[in-house]
Amino acid sequence: MSNRERILEAAKALFNQYGPLNVGTNKIADYLQISPGNLYYHFQNREEIIRTIFLEISDAADRAVQVGTPGRGSMADLGDVLLNSVQVVWHYRFFYGNLVQLLRNDPKLKALYLQRRETSLAFLEAVLRDWLQNRHDRDGLSETDLKILATNVWIVAVNWIGFLQIEKEDNQITRPDLLRGAFQILEIMKPYLDQETIRLVHDRLHTRLQELEQNSRFGNTG
Amino acid sequence: MSNRERILEAAKALFNQYGPLNVGTNKIADYLQISPGNLYYHFQNREEIIRTIFLEISDAADRAVQVGTPGRGSMADLGDVLLNSVQVVWHYRFFYGNLVQLLRNDPKLKALYLQRRETSLAFLEAVLRDWLQNRHDRDGLSETDLKILATNVWIVAVNWIGFLQIEKEDNQITRPDLLRGAFQILEIMKPYLDQETIRLVHDRLHTRLQELEQNSRFGNTG
DNA sequence: GTCTATATATAGATAGAC
DNA sequence: GTCTATCTATATATAGAC
């Protein structure tokens, strides 16, 4: 692994552990036992490190929802999308837990993030329009309701981990806690899904949890 | 106003404007044109200032939901509770927008906040049990669903302002934006309210907005 | 690419005079 | 209660040698 990559990995780990505002460039360099000068050879400044990590986040988020693209696969995939999304937020919790502050201190990052959020929200809206159309009869969702709903889904998805972090230390947060996040988001859509779909998604989520429990040890950054 | 009170007011204003992590004790003192020593006569340290503000927040939050106490008044009061709550979060947005970080850096504040949140969530759950019982027949809410719902209401209420702050500068956020927050929370409960109640709450919210538009100019801290 | 050394700014906080 | 003066730690960042 090149030093550039090591810097990015160390930054993520330290940001998650101590909070991005308690971790400066010197701490990252100390941690890797390289010099500050070395770090500044690879990155112009601290903000550039965070912006680079944000590009990584964007890719991870894309992969997380890919399986849910309308018209592909079964409704059970909704379960994957929910759990994957919560996992991405967990993986990069330093970012989502300090959004306002991070964006305020870096206009470039703010522009990147905002553009990205608009696209994602529009996509989410389209996906929900597709997923939630079953009950489109009497209780049918207006376009306004759909927008509000999509925003609620977004807010809960992005902030569930932060909600958790307040009642638990990072190293006490477990896979079932992430699953709870998926159910938390699902609850918002529940009134607009039929019983069969809800059952399908529940089953998928429990299957995913079992896989996760077996496969690998739970790492704070993974 | 005593210097102690002026320090608290200045801290709130500066924290909201620049973010609490960009505002140190020296900046607060500079802003008030008093000496750092003076500030440290009134408060042991920066954390004590924030903890003191948190007590103020707790009081404001209590007042915000008081009108919604079960058994008192009409369902339209739900509208007041929603709007009042969003207003409190707006007023102290520096706090809610940096919760994870602030609590991580001050264990005493974390203990205060956590205790408070548990009480508030239990209360919210009780209130929802009361408000949402109308449809308690076929689609009836289980106790589990009620807990998840209460948590969703909490997450959206606390994070709506942060969501807004990312797309708008502080001084561009208007009263209608706060109203949107109330509707955003209402949307979560909507499936469990009857049409008449929804209409009542809508009316109340619009009335409240008109009052607000007339009464006073919009201040960033008020 | 990586290092050492250092410039500069600012943070939190305290001692002691008035 | 309020001030001046100051200590100490740490942050970001750069220059220039290797």
Side-chain angles (χ1 to χ4, degrees), chain A residues 190-206:
Chain A
K190 234 179 184 176
Y192 311 101
L193 298 171
D194 56 44
Q195 291 301 319
E196 172 64 7
T197 302
I198 294 172
R199 205 187 52 74
L200 271 175
V201 175
H202 272 244
D203 288 353
R204 176 69 63 91
L205 283 174
H206 286 296

Side-chain angles (χ1 to χ4, degrees), chain A residues 99-100 103 110-111 113-115 117-118 121 147 151 154-155, chain B residues 160-173 177 180 184:
Chain A
L99 255 185
V100 179
L103 301 191
K110 181 164 183 165
Y113 179 80
L114 201 49
Q115 193 182 355
R117 188 173 85 170
E118 277 165 21
L121 266 173
K147 233 188 183 68
T151 301
W154 179 276
I155 291 177
Chain B
W160 165 250
I161 296 294
F163 180 88
L164 258 187
Q165 280 184 298
I166 287 164
E167 61 191 29
K168 288 195 177 192
E169 298 302 318
D170 264 25
N171 55 20
Q172 293 177 320
I173 292 176
D177 289 321
R180 275 175 65 208
Q184 206 67 43

Side-chain angles (χ1 to χ4, degrees), chain B residues 24-27 40 45-46:
Chain B
T25 48
N26 288 349
K27 275 195 190 154
Y40 277 93
N45 52 37
R46 191 173 166 280

Side-chain angles (χ1 to χ4, degrees), chain A residues 3 7 24-46 49:
Chain A
N3 261 356
I7 290 165
T25 48
N26 287 350
K27 277 198 188 150
I28 297 171
D30 276 3
Y31 175 82
L32 291 172
Q33 288 179 292
I34 62 172
S35 66
N38 189 338
L39 185 146
Y40 276 93
Y41 170 80
H42 291 288
F43 295 95
Q44 270 193 5
N45 51 37
R46 190 172 168 278
I49 296 176

Side-chain angles (χ1 to χ4, degrees), chain B:
Chain B
M1 196 156 53
S2 71
N3 262 356
R4 186 171 197 279
E5 289 170 293
R6 292 178 67 224
I7 291 166
L8 290 172
E9 291 306 308
K12 275 191 279 177
L14 294 172
F15 287 164
N16 276 337
Q17 187 169 3
Y18 303 107
L21 292 105
N22 295 329
V23 176
T25 48
N26 288 349
K27 275 195 190 154
I28 298 171
D30 275 3
Y31 176 81
L32 291 172
Q33 290 179 290
I34 63 172
S35 66
N38 190 338
L39 185 146
Y40 277 93
Y41 170 80
H42 291 288
F43 295 94
Q44 271 194 5
N45 52 37
R46 191 173 166 280
E47 269 105 63
E48 198 187 80
I49 296 176
I50 295 175
R51 281 198 302 273
T52 306
I53 295 174
F54 175 65
L55 299 182
E56 196 182 310
I57 297 178
S58 298
D59 286 346
D62 282 342
R63 285 194 305 274
V65 301
Q66 223 160 25
V67 71
T69 310
R72 303 186 192 169
S74 87
M75 280 302 285
D77 296 337
L78 169 55
D80 290 331
V81 172
L82 297 183
L83 190 50
N84 290 346
S85 302
V86 174
Q87 282 179 321
V88 170
V89 178
W90 164 257
H91 199 115
Y92 300 98
R93 57 198 174 284
F94 81 86
F95 184 78
Y96 293 99
N98 297 274
L99 255 185
V100 179
Q101 178 77 22
L102 291 175
L103 301 191
R104 174 165 16 216
N105 289 351
D106 181 4
K108 286 188 199 166
L109 179 63
K110 180 163 183 166
L112 283 174
Y113 180 80
L114 202 49
Q115 193 182 356
R116 172 88 202 167
R117 188 173 85 171
E118 277 165 22
T119 316
S120 303
L121 266 172
F123 178 76
L124 177 57
E125 225 181 292
V127 169
L128 289 185
R129 191 177 293 115
D130 190 65
W131 279 340
L132 308 185
Q133 67 186 353
N134 301 317
R135 264 219 193 179
H136 215 273
D137 33 72
R138 175 174 122 247
D139 288 305
L141 283 165
S142 68
E143 280 298 305
T144 312
D145 282 333
L146 206 61
K147 234 187 182 65
I148 298 178
L149 219 56
T151 301
N152 275 342
V153 166
W154 179 276
I155 291 177
V156 172
V158 163
N159 292 293
W160 165 250
I161 296 294
F163 180 88
L164 258 187
Q165 280 184 298
I166 287 164
E167 61 191 29
K168 288 195 177 192
E169 298 302 318
D170 264 25
N171 55 20
Q172 293 177 320
I173 292 176
T174 60
R175 296 201 187 284
D177 289 321
L178 305 193
L179 191 74
R180 275 175 65 208
F183 280 114
Q184 206 67 43
I185 306 170
L186 181 63
E187 189 79 12
I188 298 177
M189 314 180 187
K190 235 180 183 175
Y192 311 102
L193 297 172
D194 56 43
Q195 292 301 319
E196 171 64 8
T197 302
I198 295 171
R199 206 187 52 74
L200 272 175
V201 175
H202 272 244
D203 287 353
R204 175 68 64 91
L205 283 174
H206 287 297
T207 310
R208 281 288 306 274
L209 180 64
Q210 277 160 18
E211 284 169 19
L212 291 170
E213 299 291 4
Q214 283 166 14
N215 279 355
S216 62
R217 174 179 146 275
F218 197 63
N220 271 341
T221 56

